[in-house]
Amino acid sequence: MADRSAPSCHLRLEWVYGYRGHQCRNNLYYTAAKEIVYFVAGVGVVYSPREHRQKFYLGHQDDIISLALHPERVLVATGQVGKEPYICVWDSYTVQTVSVLKDVHTHGIACLAFDLDGQRLVSVGLDSKNTVCVWDWRKGKLLSMAPGHTDRIFDISWDLYQPNKLVSCGVKHIKFWSLCGNSLTPKRGVFGKTGDLQTILCLACARDEVTYSGALNGDIYVWKGINLVRTIQGAHAAGIFSMNACEEGFATGGRDGCVRLWDLNFKPITVIDLRETDQGYKGLSVRSVCWRGDHILVGTQDSEIFEIVVHERNKPFLIMQGHCEGELWALAVHPTKPLAMTGSDDRSVRIWSLIDHALIARCNMEEPIRCAAVSTDGIHLALGMKDGSFTVLRVRDMTEVVHIKDRKEAIHELKYSPDGNFLAVGSNDSSVDVYGVVQRYKKVGECVGSLSFITHMDWSSDSKYLQTNDGNGKRLFYRMPSGKEVTNKEELKGIQWASWTCVSGVEVNGIWPKYSDINDINSVDANFIGQVMVTADDYGIVKLFRYPCLRKGAKFKKYLGHSAHVTNVRWSHDHQWVVSIGGADHSVFQWKFVPDRKLKDTLHIAPQESLVDSNSDESDSDQSDVPELDSEIEQETQITYRRQVYKEDLPQLKEQCKEKRKSAASKRRERAPGNSIRLHFVHGYRGYDCRSNLFYTQTGEIVYHVAAVGVVYNRQQNTQRFYLGHDDDILCLAIHPLKDYVATGQVGRDSSIHIWDTETIKPLSVLKGYHQYGVCAVDFSADGKRLASVGIDDNHTIVLWDWKKGEKLSAVRGSKDKIFVVKINPYMPDKLITVGIKHMKFWRRAGGGLIGRKGCIGALGRTDTMMCAVYGWTEEMAFSGTSTGDVCIWRDVFLIKTVKAHDGPVFSMHALEKGFVTGGKDGVVALWDDTFERCLKTYAIKRAALAPGSKGLLLEDNPSIRAISLGHGHILVGTKNGEILEVDKSGPITLLVQGHMEGEVWGLATHPHLPICATVSDDKTLRIWDLSPSHCMLAVRKLKKGGRCCCFSPDGKALAVGLNDGSFLIVNADTLEDLVSFQHRKDVISEIRFSPGTGKYLAVASCDNFVDIYNVMSSKRVGICKGASSYITHMDWDVRGKLLQVNTGAKEQLFFEAPRGKKQTIPSLEVEKIGWASWTSVLGSCCEGIWPIIGEVTDVTASCLTSDSKVLATGDDFGFVKLFRYPAKGKFGKFKRYVAHSTHVTNVRWTYDDSLLVTVGGADTSLMLWTYEMEGHRDSRQCDSEESDLDSEEDGGYDSDVTRENEINYTIKALSTNIRPMFGIKPHLQQKEPTLDER
């Protein structure tokens, strides 16, 4: 489908007619190169009068309204309007961005000024406070900000003779500011008796604290300090809009059309009245003056720029003109000459020469003009008016031929027929009138099929048919000249159209985005010969499509420059140029058409002109011509990291539960238990949705992450140390070039990045405040001073940090689609690359912003989805791995070659001293030379290669590789299945760490008399783990379905497993081979339990609200427990094996007699007396206290009681593991709380001897082992027990241990609100080592 791709030709902006004089002042200057800089619409223009040539700065996205020139007169600062407006500082010589200042102002930037040495820039916003900001613009850093004034500020200037002083003026005020440190303090000017309090429009500072200012009544007010000392009355006859200081003195310009020159003491030198000169006219108003040597530049309200030479001051030279204020809609091109005609609501019609880039004729009409057409012989120009009339002029002398008014509403479109005999006139009265040209425009027909206003019309080549579009998006056909509607499809088949300017029709389906309001494309014009067409829309964008363009959402190239809506667009008669006009910006843009883009040209095109090629994010097509996403990547892009409730919300949620708190505080509450647990070992590695998150540290340990834990693993001793500063899933990890610090980024409402030391496991810096929802990629610069991060918000924001200071240097919106990797250029820390879904972008820092260029693919193909990237051996070279298995080699931003590296996506890539290593979905690790010419060696990850010292078993051959790192003579590999392997260069593979694969882990059982546990997960595996110091996976078995529960028989020989399809198995606990299997249910088996003693019965609970009881020996179902109104969540036997306690999803606590399953009602006092074989229940009076204050939001999912019945461990939906004293009677018991899992802890179990607590973490796939420490082993501080923040005074009276309680509550309050950003090492982490893991 070639027609879906973007055209290979492109447009280049060649000329802009116009100057923004309305609502702006002081926006026209000479640069050092004697060029003239100004702006129009969203474009900064640098015009060279000597060469009559324009250069364009295209870094803005909306109307520019303010401009300042740097004192060295090369750099320019411009400010724009918009919801998130920004300031660009750019070079007027190269028209390249130097810095972007953003994230502070809203609405727009009204004024700008550089200080004397050009280091600082002051800006004033259009927000309600008219905020004043001072910037260190090179660094993009805000130095100070303050509310400016309650009313508009019109001008601001630095005092050039006293540092750190500024003056601003505006509606009825003038303020004198001083900048001290980072605070700006204003003093209002005192008008006193010397002059009236009035609006001050402009100002200039002079020596000795003197300030001159121009007032609304035409007087000049002279200030000394903050006091008005004299006025120069009648300097101008009306408001003074502009004042410019230079070596010779001052120039002022006013609404009276005069420019006055003054000497340094403000004595008059001369006056120039522009209204009296040849080019002058009544009502001319000056908005901007610039005096340099013997030249004066003047900008007027009506978009003209004059240049005046002082000694011939009555002969000003008109160097630029444009339409005045009012919407510009009419555009026509001459059929044989390079001329364009425009007509506007300013009632003028103008003819422009596209070759000389000049206005060659102008004529004022009685009415605002809305459309125009030139007859085929080029003699007549027809103009449609806003009042429903139309006028025909002779082109050569602009004299009137006829003026006809047949309609009441605006004429929106008119066109001459190709044979020149007819003129069709379409009005907002929903009809088209046809006039005979030769009969002096007598009306000969009328077309009345439309129900809405006429928007577009085209004639057929033989002048026999007319097609129209109307406001409802209907396309109709008429026979000409009678105007009879044609409905017969056959008759329409062979029609050739003389032009195509309609927006609806099969030929132009592709110009519409998939979901679009029918009126947002204002104009289309097809170039039949070049097979391209150009469109203009309401978003200020001119687009180039192929013609014809049949399928919706086609690709295009897009060009910015117009600020608001582009109302009309036309090809010139010879298709050399495209002319577009802007409605509100009333400017005329002339674009050069460059037929086929040669690669060599692109090298000379300035980056902004690498014209946002929309083959890009903007094409809203479903991109059916792009290869399907690999299934794995597809899965990953669909993972959402949004949470219903984030841990950051806890303090507020607790606040809302204040009432409950008060009632609880009045009762005596159980103390927290004396014993505690400490994280000891974690089985798991996050590989299923993360990449390149596994590294060797300086000391040869291995650092990676799983759940909310940063893990440092010592492979010699098989031990782990943990960084526990995060409180939710960690999604990315990067290592400092010195391999001693790592940065990890997590999920969160305002997510944080922690930089921590792998040796001491202490945080060095925590960065937050810029990423919503989570951080998915981080990277250190080569000098280790900077850090780049990417968020998972909708814009995938990219931030560059000075991480030690905790300071954001630059930020930018990255892409609408997911970004996987960010890499900082090792040679130039101001450059970086990001790769992601159909995304490869090269960024460079410009102040507080980043400027991005897409990778240029040229003729070699289209942007693929990139999964990984590295920089090569020079600053220009970069390499990226694609989702199709290629490695792309880039020089600067150009793709120079691709190499096939893997079958399926290349997920990880690592640069070595000499060469590269890559890993892919195909489970192969490949070593390459330094140019990717040769593959030196490959290692396939296979079970056969596993070395004897492995800590587990490979689940499958060739697992998908997600991370690779080299060091210490080995290759470290992380797989999607959650395994970490070490590959020896000679071939053998050692498995070091493994966990479950993607999917939730719920099933957990500990062995009745050995340090062993079993887990079963949605990943369809059953696994046996050794909990002794060898910490390895002993056995694994693949199941036909995922499972949610498991249980060892009392003798430990059999293992029962409940599956998600309603069946269950009993397997041999050593070999995992089937003994029996049953299926009586359709829904998930949620809990399974052998009866105590001999294990005679097996109770099997399912999500369809029943518990089945089986006799294990006879393998028959002997009883069914009915009566639960919801799914079964927990189940325990009593010691005798005669009674079952059951919990349900509706929070019911039920009792059934075994083995028949008869329901029993037992009062709660009796329940406590019963001896239970196990307690994993979460309901009942014995564990009332385990439910938190915010119990509505979060569930306690699991509990388990120690064999001495003293301590109850619980797991909840917030990822907390808690310890309570048992029985936990009374509401909101006190506890100790531990964070390591990320979202919900799905199960907790004590080992047979209570030496370890084992927990599993649902979606985080991890299995965690915690050592149980007795009271005597108590550390220096008790761990965080959150609900103990019921106020300490209220608790004070009860416990013997009052003082200790108070202290605890106090430290906890300090810890539990982590709302303040903190830097450095948090106080509670500056403790001696053992306490760290208890965070």
Side-chain angles (χ1 to χ4, degrees), residues 56-178:
F56 307 104
Y57 174 70
L58 297 165
H60 286 281
Q61 304 156 336
D62 209 331
D63 268 326
I64 302 176
I65 54 165
S66 51
L67 180 148
L69 191 63
H70 190 275
E72 288 163 8
R73 300 182 18 236
V74 175
L75 297 175
V76 181
T78 43
Q80 66 167 58
V81 294
K83 196 164 81 179
E84 296 175 350
Y86 52 85
I87 301 162
C88 294
V89 180
W90 46 281
D91 183 318
S92 63
Y93 185 68
T94 61
V95 289
Q96 295 289 321
T97 309
V98 181
S99 181
V100 179
L101 314 177
K102 51 190 252 185
D103 295 339
V104 177
H105 287 296
T106 58
H107 298 80
I109 290 134
C111 333
L112 293 165
F114 283 99
D115 68 354
L116 179 61
D117 58 2
Q119 297 297 311
R120 292 174 300 182
L121 177 71
V122 63
S123 60
V124 179
L126 278 180
D127 53 291
S128 55
K129 296 197 174 99
N130 298 286
T131 309
V132 175
C133 296
V134 178
W135 304 83
D136 175 336
W137 61 267
R138 274 196 196 277
K139 291 190 179 149
K141 192 165 145 194
L142 184 65
L143 299 175
S144 172
M145 78 189 263
H149 192 64
T150 47
D151 231 322
R152 267 297 296 275
I153 295 178
F154 290 131
D155 200 2
I156 191 160
S157 171
W158 292 83
D159 187 324
L160 302 179
Y161 301 94
Q162 314 176 66
N164 299 329
K165 292 273 197 290
L166 298 116
V167 191
S168 68
C169 65
V171 176
K172 300 210 166 145
H173 78 282
I174 183 165
K175 281 188 178 173
F176 298 86
W177 300 80
S178 48

Side-chain angles (χ1 to χ4, degrees), residues 32 55 142 145 301 353 415 546 560 679 759 901 1305:
K55 292 184 289 196
L142 184 65
M145 78 189 263
Q301 167 87 27
S353 161
K415 274 220 169 66
R546 291 182 185 271
L560 302 171
L679 190 57
E759 212 29 59
N1305 278 340

